[in-house]
Amino acid sequence: MDGNDLVRSVKAVGTVRGLRAVRSALRRRRTDARGLPARGPERARVPGQVRAAEPRPGGGLVRFARAELEVRVTVGGAVFLGWDGAGPEPSYALAGPAPEPDARAVLEPDTDDGWRVVSERVTVAVSRHGAVEVRTPGGVVLRRELPPRWWEPVEGGPGRWALRSELAADARVFGLGGRAAGPRLRDGVYRLWNTDPGGAFAPGDDPLYITMPVQLVVADGGTHLAFYDNTWDGRVRLREGVEGAGSGHDRPGHSELRMEGGPVRCWVVTGTPARVLRGWAALTGAPAVPPSWALGPQHARWGFGSESEVRRVVAGYREHGLPLSALHLDIDHYDAHQVFTVDRESFPDLPRLAKDLAEDGVRLVSIVDPAVKARRGNAVYESGLATGAFVRDARGEEVRGVVWPGECVYPDFTDAGAREWWGGLYQERLDQGFAGVWHDMNEPVSFAPFGDPTLPRSARHALEGRGGDHREAHNVYGLAMARAGYEGLRRLRPDDRPFLFSRSGWAGMQRYGGTWSGDVATGWPGLRASLALVLGLGLCGVPYSGPDVGGFTGSPSPELYLRWFQLASRLPFFRTHSALRAGRREPWEFGPDVLEHARVALEERERLRPYFMTLAQLARLTGAPYVRPVWWGGPGDRALRDCEDAFLLGDALLVAPVFEPGAVRRAVRLPRGRWYDAATGEPHEGPGQVVLDAPLSRIPVLARAGSVIPVRGERGEVELEVWAPVAGRTGGGIVVRDAGDGWGTPKVERFTTRLARGRVVVERVTAEGTTRELGYPVRVRGGVQ
């Protein structure tokens, strides 16, 4: 640490808090020096030559000279690979017990002294030196894992390891959690360590709040997902391949994973993108369905300051005729930033405020940070001490850091008892009238002038009774906190679906809710990063997410704000949010033109609310994200694989946001089929590229020919918007109506469309066949040709 570090720290969090952060960082270094022994000399190891093999259900165990590999194909077609006794469990990612092995898949000898497992959907071949190939049933190699390499301390302790993979020369890699530079991940190094970037971030910043060792790879030969089930710190180095232009001398793509410890184990899921995400959801859990109101527009600000300001903002939405579903209170509503308290001077009667807003259709949502002020007399601190809930160091002393309330301690969410205690605290939030919660600062964060702003790596965690330290627990801290909050809300309000979203998390976090962009920088690059984050997280199994409209810390121009607003209105989580010093984010603050155009976007969002609910339910049933890359239905189209500035909303709509200042037209890459301009009804044929008008009043949106979209009619009823199919082709759609904000089973209805004698025919699919008794009004759009 030098003087510049100290100055930056003080400027970032204030003089007193900055000095506390310096002391905390120094204390953390001393704690790690005591608690983490030096690695010392290391011994390198590779598997060596194959020695024997033992068949087991779904595959078997292949023994090498210095390692062993378990290969297992499950009944769903997912492949598990585990080295040196690493099994599928225990795992924070899996939703329950590992899937059953496929009894039909048998380990058998392969050529050149190797072994293979052949199943209906995938073949796994193991070479005599420990390389593993995952192949399609037709023999196309999707992924080739070279033999792993370990570096193990001679004196004992966790060993580092590296695993290098070869991909097809034309492969494109997506995922790795929330990456601002995505959604396609180009050549570079990506860290696997959940991190608060410390202020606003831009596309070049990495890592961010949610990192996952999840790669979704798309190539001509097929699509697959690879998940390395290891929560330790690591780095992924990617290098795209180069095709030999017909010469046959292709250079494969490469992925190298280096981890600081933990097991070497991997899951691979193959198939179409839809099948891959379905298989991934089967492993890690169905996404939680938000309550219906959480699919509407929401508003937040760090620094409302008072109940009167909250009422003023809500009244402004009503006076301007703008819909609003929820309003979020940030840490300024707490008493001195202490979680589960209320500043009584600024909010003298919070339950009354919540009741008044609810009568107007607006729910209150509360921020919840994990850090607890370490002060005697603080009720949460006292009860946590009595429960033994807080993270401690190797000597049994509380681990302390500095966050907004000052010196704080941290619950150990990897302990079941601590989760139950923490979940019970949400009763206070419910008593205050809050309808949902948002988890923040849960990477976890401890302000620091240098290094990672987190807990000591030597801090001790329960890890579900296994015991371990923060090196293993860090990346799942936010996930475990989300579990604590979600399960607590379910116990406290068993009849209501919880609304919870979290800034940090890990693979499987979709079981408990969604996320948002965090403190994305205000600017056109931040706008582009907003879409990259949503697309990338969706391909990692987290379908409910969205950005802070306008960016968090800066002051957007009216044009930038409007383009951000238009994009966000077509994303799952739609929230305006900012720091007070960054300026207000209410639409009327940007002038009458922006207000009118924002009203149009809000009204269209409300009109599409039944479609968003259908997508939410389909995500639960199939794992498919609401927001999908344009190559979703045609991953073989290379031009679509490289398209990063548009997306599909479900199967029916293609959305093309505007990312450049001053643009009033933009090029749009279309997937195969006919697409109608939703504003003009003009048809366009894909695949190919078209140039569409993009005036300030709207962004281009196209509807797939033949699609059936549930929308809200003028009187609030659900009706079917049908886009005319192409002659000789059929279309269709799915409608899933919400059964209320509880746990009722929603009804899934399927519809088909076709042309008959120049007229559009819409039919509902039943167990007996089809019927023209639809149960909904129908409005046909698009020309009939």
Side-chain angles (χ1 to χ4, degrees):
M1 175 184 169
D2 59 22
N4 291 331
D5 291 324
L6 178 58
V7 170
R8 282 193 294 269
S9 175
V10 171
K11 286 183 177 179
V13 296
T15 304
V16 174
R17 192 176 288 121
L19 293 174
R20 286 175 177 169
V22 171
R23 291 197 298 269
S24 175
L26 294 174
R27 185 168 60 229
R28 184 184 68 200
R29 285 192 170 188
R30 291 194 298 269
T31 300
D32 280 345
R34 292 193 306 265
L36 294 178
R39 297 191 66 88
E42 294 179 320
R43 181 186 299 110
R45 175 168 64 93
V46 295
Q49 288 268 67
V50 68
R51 293 289 179 84
E54 174 189 328
R56 292 181 177 180
L61 190 68
V62 183
R63 293 190 173 90
F64 299 86
R66 292 176 292 277
E68 60 183 29
L69 169 67
E70 180 184 358
V71 181
R72 182 189 307 179
V73 179
T74 68
V75 290
V79 176
F80 174 75
L81 306 169
W83 285 92
D84 283 354
E89 302 171 60
S91 170
Y92 277 98
L94 300 188
E100 292 295 321
D102 184 352
R104 299 170 297 176
V106 179
L107 182 69
E108 59 187 28
D110 200 4
T111 58
D112 197 24
D113 295 328
W115 294 84
R116 68 178 183 179
V117 179
V118 180
S119 70
E120 181 182 3
R121 295 183 182 177
V122 68
T123 296
V124 184
V126 182
S127 79
R128 60 178 177 172
H129 294 290
V132 180
E133 289 185 351
V134 179
R135 306 169 182 164
T136 68
V140 177
V141 178
L142 298 176
R143 191 177 194 92
R144 184 169 189 262
E145 303 274 10
L146 301 180
R149 186 178 182 89
W150 292 267
W151 292 269
E152 298 165 332
V154 173
E155 300 298 327
R160 300 180 295 119
W161 55 267
L163 188 59
R164 191 178 184 196
S165 308
E166 292 182 352
L167 309 172
D170 66 295
R172 297 290 182 261
V173 179
F174 304 84
L176 294 182
R179 304 288 169 168
R184 171 185 164 192
L185 301 178
R186 289 170 169 79
D187 295 1
V189 178
Y190 302 88
R191 191 178 178 194
L192 299 171
W193 187 253
N194 292 350
T195 303
D196 175 8
F201 67 87
D205 293 321
D206 186 274
L208 298 179
Y209 315 98
I210 301 173
T211 66
M212 298 183 195
V214 179
Q215 299 178 16
L216 192 135
V217 183
V218 185
D220 286 353
T223 301
H224 74 275
L225 180 147
F227 166 55
Y228 299 91
D229 195 351
N230 183 310
T231 67
W232 286 62
D233 191 2
R235 284 174 171 79
V236 179
R237 182 182 298 275
L238 296 178
R239 189 184 73 190
E240 291 186 343
V242 177
E243 294 182 281
S247 68
H249 297 289
D250 292 348
R251 188 186 77 190
H254 288 277
S255 168
E256 183 184 57
L257 174 63
R258 289 181 173 265
M259 302 297 293
E260 293 301 312
V264 186
R265 56 182 180 177
C266 178
W267 288 92
V268 181
V269 186
T270 67
T272 64
R275 175 171 284 183
V276 166
L277 266 294
R278 182 188 290 269
W280 179 235
L283 281 174
T284 60
V289 178
S292 57
W293 58 264
L295 294 172
Q298 305 179 48
H299 187 84
R301 186 199 302 160
W302 179 19
F304 277 121
S306 68
E307 175 182 327
S308 61
E309 176 65 5
V310 169
R311 291 184 183 275
R312 187 195 70 81
V313 169
V314 174
Y317 272 87
R318 295 296 174 252
E319 290 167 7
H320 292 94
L322 304 177
L324 181 66
S325 289
L327 187 136
H328 300 217
L329 297 186
D330 211 318
I331 56 173
D332 54 288
H333 87 279
Y334 282 131
D335 181 10
H337 299 154
Q338 297 180 62
V339 69
F340 302 118
T341 65
V342 176
D343 180 349
R344 298 295 180 183
E345 290 188 10
S346 300
F347 294 88
D349 193 347
L350 196 52
R352 178 67 185 184
L353 173 64
K355 182 175 182 296
D356 291 346
L357 296 187
E359 290 174 353
D360 206 20
V362 179
R363 275 80 171 180
L364 271 185
V365 175
S366 171
I367 191 172
V368 173
D369 289 352
V372 175
K373 187 173 182 62
R375 186 182 69 182
R376 287 290 182 177
N378 176 4
V380 177
Y381 177 61
E382 296 284 2
S383 65
L385 280 179
T387 309
F390 299 126
V391 175
R392 297 181 178 273
D393 63 19
R395 300 191 298 185
E397 298 176 355
E398 294 173 356
V399 170
R400 297 194 176 191
V402 175
V403 200
W404 299 116
E407 192 168 59
C408 294
V409 292
Y410 299 81
D412 181 7
F413 295 115
T414 70
D415 178 78
R419 286 197 299 269
E420 184 174 3
W421 162 75
W422 184 263
L425 298 177
Y426 287 73
Q427 183 64 60
E428 184 273 341
R429 295 286 87 186
L430 297 178
D431 291 344
Q432 297 294 345
F434 288 105
V437 295
W438 117 62
H439 288 173
D440 208 337
M441 306 293 286
N442 59 338
E443 288 70 33
V445 173
S446 175
F447 296 142
F450 53 91
D452 287 334
T454 186
L455 304 186
R457 291 177 176 240
S458 60
R460 304 299 299 173
H461 291 265
L463 289 165
E464 316 309 322
R466 294 181 289 111
D469 59 43
H470 198 67
R471 293 174 295 177
E472 183 178 356
H474 173 85
N475 280 336
V476 295
Y477 190 88
L479 169 72
M481 180 185 180
R483 178 181 177 183
Y486 184 85
E487 292 178 347
L489 290 170
R490 285 207 63 174
R491 289 193 302 270
L492 297 170
R493 293 276 177 87
D495 296 332
D496 297 336
R497 292 201 302 267
F499 177 55
L500 184 150
F501 61 104
S502 174
R503 191 171 79 171
S504 183
W506 203 65
M509 65 180 294
Q510 73 277 359
R511 299 190 295 264
Y512 312 117
T515 184
W516 88 105
S517 64
D519 299 342
V520 61
T522 297
W524 293 93
L527 171 61
R528 188 176 289 269
S530 296
L531 177 58
L533 287 161
V534 174
L535 280 168
L537 286 164
L539 295 175
C540 291
V542 185
Y544 184 80
S545 67
D548 285 342
V549 172
F552 182 70
T553 57
S555 298
S557 68
E559 180 190 11
L560 175 59
Y561 173 82
L562 179 59
R563 291 309 195 188
W564 218 315
F565 199 93
Q566 291 166 335
L567 164 64
S569 69
R570 300 308 202 283
L571 299 178
F573 177 47
F574 180 20
R575 180 178 79 158
T576 53
H577 182 40
S578 68
L580 181 59
R581 63 182 180 274
R584 302 182 187 279
R585 292 291 188 266
E586 296 85 358
W588 56 88
E589 297 289 344
F590 293 86
D593 290 342
V594 170
L595 173 61
E596 187 55 38
H597 300 330
R599 176 182 290 108
V600 172
L602 284 170
E603 289 174 349
E604 181 63 9
R605 171 68 176 224
E606 291 297 275
R607 195 180 75 89
L608 289 173
R609 190 85 81 86
Y611 186 50
F612 274 97
M613 178 50 66
T614 291
L615 296 178
Q617 294 288 356
L618 289 178
R620 177 183 65 86
L621 294 171
T622 70
Y626 314 24
V627 169
R628 308 163 189 179
V630 291
W631 48 257
W632 178 261
D637 188 327
R638 294 190 176 190
L640 292 180
R641 291 209 297 261
D642 291 338
C643 178
E644 301 179 274
D645 61 356
F647 62 92
L648 297 175
L649 182 58
D651 284 333
L653 297 177
L654 191 156
V655 183
V658 174
F659 293 115
E660 302 294 336
V664 293
R665 289 172 66 79
R666 62 150 293 175
V668 181
R669 176 70 59 178
L670 298 180
R672 184 176 301 278
R674 177 173 296 169
W675 295 84
Y676 295 100
D677 187 315
T680 66
E682 181 181 2
H684 302 277
E685 299 296 330
Q689 183 171 279
V690 297
V691 178
L692 300 178
D693 290 334
L696 276 176
S697 59
R698 59 181 171 85
I699 56 176
V701 177
L702 298 104
R704 189 190 301 270
S707 58
V708 178
I709 305 173
V711 299
R712 182 177 290 176
E714 293 182 358
R715 294 186 298 274
E717 79 285 3
V718 175
E719 64 180 27
L720 303 182
E721 182 172 271
V722 177
W723 290 87
V726 177
R729 300 180 185 175
T730 59
I734 295 176
V735 177
V736 187
R737 299 192 65 174
D738 192 26
D741 287 342
W743 302 97
T745 302
K747 181 180 180 182
V748 179
E749 300 175 287
R750 300 179 184 273
F751 298 88
T752 62
T753 62
R754 57 188 171 87
L755 283 181
R757 298 179 182 179
R759 295 179 61 85
V760 175
V761 177
V762 185
E763 296 176 309
R764 181 163 56 89
V765 179
T766 68
E768 293 76 27
T770 59
T771 177
R772 296 192 183 183
E773 296 180 2
L774 305 179
Y776 302 97
V778 173
R779 185 162 64 98
V780 176
R781 299 187 64 185
V784 178
Q785 300 181 16

